[in-house]
Amino acid sequence: MPTPPSPNSSPAEQTKLVRQRRALNRLLQVLQRGMRSEVVNDLASFVLKEAHNMSALLSILKHPESYPKIQIQKAAWVAHRAFQADSRGLLGHRQAFSQILDATEDPSVLREILKVLANPVWLDIENESMRADLLQLALDLLHLPHFPIAVHYAALQIIQTRATTKAEEIESLAAIRVLMDEQQKQNSLYLCAAKHEIRILQKIRR
């Protein structure tokens, strides 16, 4: 949540915080139940327009304890839509997404953020800690069959791009098979997991 401007902060910093506060207030007025898709598109354009608008959106997601659950969920939806519209507007915020993952306990928020991070565009931006933490989260999620199916799809994509060592690939293979064992054979998630299983096996055998 943006902090109030300090009397000791520079004029530029005070201006930045005031703008971020205004952006936050605008977002909170619109992030409501029943928000239509075209409103999401408008908010995605809004947060991409100015850096302080994006910072305001991400501050909501980093502090879920400060806002109603529905606003957090809608904010995650906007973040995903903004990424789809122009990924460049979010590439400077990789650390913020790690903080969001640490903060959230909401599967619907997790789903939207993982959809963003599953994109390989992040590979050249992530440091080793970010990569390893995201991979571990994806592996853990494959052991939780009650999570939404979209979470598992994103986790499978993440494993393909973040498992880089032989040990990680072997662990990934085991996790994928755990997920497959929890599915009815030939359902869509099982078939998707089976494709990822083949790809990981090919990597292991190289």
Side-chain angles (χ1 to χ4, degrees):
M1 195 161 35
T3 56
S6 166
N8 298 323
S9 58
S10 68
E13 184 65 20
Q14 291 185 41
T15 299
K16 176 183 174 182
L17 290 171
V18 167
R19 288 176 176 173
Q20 189 173 339
R21 175 67 65 177
R22 288 175 180 167
L24 177 64
N25 290 337
R26 175 174 173 180
L27 288 167
L28 293 176
Q29 289 173 0
V30 185
L31 295 171
Q32 303 293 337
R33 193 179 306 279
M35 191 172 68
R36 294 181 298 180
S37 181
E38 55 266 32
V39 176
V40 177
N41 290 335
D42 289 344
L43 288 181
S45 297
F46 171 71
V47 298
L48 287 168
K49 186 176 181 180
E50 299 285 352
H52 53 263
N53 297 348
M54 182 64 74
S55 295
L57 178 72
L58 297 178
S59 74
I60 295 172
L61 291 165
K62 288 190 288 185
H63 301 282
E65 72 285 353
S66 301
Y67 305 98
K69 180 178 179 180
I70 190 65
Q71 290 187 314
I72 308 300
Q73 293 172 341
K74 299 303 183 183
W77 189 14
V78 172
H80 183 207
R81 189 65 61 87
F83 182 78
Q84 290 175 315
D86 185 359
S87 63
R88 294 170 299 176
L90 285 89
L91 294 183
H93 297 282
R94 180 60 182 85
Q95 183 59 44
F97 281 106
S98 291
Q99 294 169 344
I100 291 165
L101 289 176
D102 288 341
T104 189
E105 296 180 355
D106 188 321
S108 65
V109 173
L110 182 64
R111 177 190 66 222
E112 298 301 321
I113 301 307
L114 290 179
K115 284 179 183 179
V116 171
L117 293 177
N119 193 301
V121 72
W122 298 100
L123 295 179
D124 292 335
I125 297 170
E126 291 175 343
N127 60 36
E128 175 60 18
S129 176
M130 290 174 180
R131 182 201 69 82
D133 287 348
L134 184 59
L135 173 62
Q136 189 58 58
L137 174 60
L139 293 172
D140 291 344
L141 288 169
L142 296 192
H143 289 79
L144 301 171
H146 62 282
F147 268 73
I149 188 171
V151 169
H152 291 131
Y153 280 129
L156 288 166
Q157 290 178 284
I158 287 167
I159 285 170
Q160 286 295 336
T161 56
R162 270 58 172 211
T164 58
T165 69
K166 192 71 69 180
E168 289 173 345
E169 291 166 355
I170 291 171
E171 186 178 2
S172 297
L173 182 63
I176 291 170
R177 288 173 172 170
V178 168
L179 178 66
M180 293 173 67
D181 287 343
E182 294 290 338
Q183 306 303 311
Q184 294 182 359
K185 286 187 176 169
Q186 307 308 311
N187 74 11
S188 59
L189 182 56
Y190 179 93
L191 294 174
C192 179
K195 290 178 182 178
H196 284 279
E197 177 191 33
I198 291 170
R199 292 174 191 163
I200 292 291
L201 274 171
Q202 289 172 340
K203 291 180 180 180
I204 292 172
R205 289 168 179 167
R206 285 176 188 167

